[in-house]
Amino acid sequence: MKVLCVIPARYESARFPGKPLADIAGKPMIQHVYEQAVKAKRPSEVVVATDSGLVEAAVLKFGGKAVLTSPDHPSGTDRIAEVALMYPDVDIIVNVQGDESMIPPEIIDRLADAFEDGIDMATMKVVMKEEDYNNPAVVKVVTDSKGYALYFSRSLIPYPRNKTECLKIYKHVGIYAYRRSFLLKYAALAPTPLERVEGLEQLRALENGYKIKVLESNFQGIGVDTPEDLAAVNKLMKKSRK
């Protein structure tokens, strides 16, 4: 199977304009993400999908590959789907968020490998820290006995009514992989009620009866949505280099 890794990088972020070009340890954030992604073994190519000529120029400057996509896409999935149309020979597309500057390459490979089992969509989860239980910015996920998603929510799920019951709470890690044919079908679906209520696009797949495989990892990434997040990533990056 041919695997393509796509990194969506929207310049006009509502909470952090210009985020892909934010400096982390002397490099733009998008460069860190790209350099981690190209270390993965399964993708035959890594490409940045952006709505900005500034981001495109920055990627080309450090030797990466970028494509300009429509500035009117309502979501990263729509941006990824536009790129998928440019690659008709690709089987699997891995979507790495443009703010995950420390993404482990092996996670990309694990997601690509999951498609040997005939699934259409896959993502990741990690055991959640207790301080994040009631944080709506941290998305929770529950899965069935075979590792398929039952639901994603900004609320705490499952609710620990019985305090003596030791049940892990899982955080959803926003990295996705799709079979190309499914991605094009999924992106064409209309937004669904639960998706709109929770503000979680992946619920569109569940509401339409599709399955999402959820792999477990120990990767506690820091998505950058604010300048404070950027400062935290810079601190971690500097610490890891000592």
Side-chain angles (χ1 to χ4, degrees):
M1 292 187 296
K2 189 172 183 179
V3 180
L4 173 70
C5 180
V6 183
I7 306 169
R10 183 171 174 264
Y11 186 81
E12 293 298 338
S13 170
R15 288 185 286 179
F16 196 161
K19 181 170 72 170
L21 303 183
D23 183 86
I24 297 178
K27 297 178 183 178
M29 182 191 306
I30 193 63
Q31 183 172 352
H32 286 281
V33 182
Y34 192 95
E35 289 176 348
Q36 288 298 102
V38 296
K39 293 176 185 175
K41 298 175 181 177
R42 289 299 307 274
S44 58
E45 190 173 339
V46 177
V47 62
V48 174
T50 183
D51 60 350
S52 166
L54 293 173
V55 175
E56 180 191 34
V59 173
L60 295 178
K61 184 177 180 180
F62 65 71
K65 182 166 186 177
V67 295
L68 277 174
T69 55
S70 170
D72 300 322
H73 288 311
S75 71
T77 301
D78 295 291
R79 198 173 307 284
I80 296 289
E82 181 180 343
V83 176
L85 291 172
M86 304 175 191
Y87 290 84
D89 61 333
V90 163
D91 301 296
I92 305 300
I93 295 175
V94 181
N95 172 0
V96 174
Q97 299 301 316
D99 60 358
E100 286 287 3
S101 58
M102 302 177 76
I103 183 80
E106 56 269 22
I107 282 185
I108 297 171
D109 289 332
R110 281 189 63 202
L111 282 168
D113 287 339
F115 285 80
E116 300 293 347
D117 295 333
I119 63 175
D120 287 319
M121 181 175 177
T123 189
M124 284 276 180
K125 68 178 181 180
V126 63
V127 175
M128 182 176 287
K129 298 175 181 177
E130 191 168 350
E131 59 261 34
D132 288 329
Y133 281 8
N134 297 307
N135 182 354
V138 180
V139 179
K140 295 80 176 171
V141 60
V142 287
T143 57
D144 66 16
S145 60
K146 294 183 179 179
Y148 288 95
L150 291 170
Y151 194 63
F152 297 86
S153 183
R154 297 185 183 280
S155 298
L156 180 61
I157 53 172
Y159 180 77
R161 182 182 180 187
N162 182 352
K163 304 298 183 182
T164 62
E165 187 72 29
C166 295
L167 186 64
K168 293 178 181 177
I169 306 295
Y170 284 97
K171 167 187 173 181
H172 174 229
V173 180
I175 176 173
Y176 298 94
Y178 314 89
R179 199 171 298 277
R180 179 183 178 275
S181 55
F182 173 76
L183 171 61
L184 296 176
K185 185 191 304 183
Y186 169 53
L189 295 172
T192 50
L194 292 174
E195 172 191 358
R196 291 194 294 266
V197 168
E198 293 267 14
L200 298 175
E201 190 180 3
Q202 63 270 34
L203 290 174
R204 187 187 310 176
L206 297 185
E207 286 184 84
N208 279 283
Y210 297 108
K211 289 187 174 183
I212 303 175
K213 184 73 172 181
V214 185
L215 308 182
E216 186 170 354
S217 169
N218 59 4
F219 171 56
Q220 291 277 1
I222 300 179
V224 178
D225 291 315
T226 65
E228 290 75 22
D229 293 335
L230 180 66
V233 170
N234 261 300
K235 185 177 180 180
L236 270 178
M237 193 76 72
K238 290 175 181 176
K239 185 178 179 180
S240 67
R241 291 182 175 183
K242 288 183 179 179

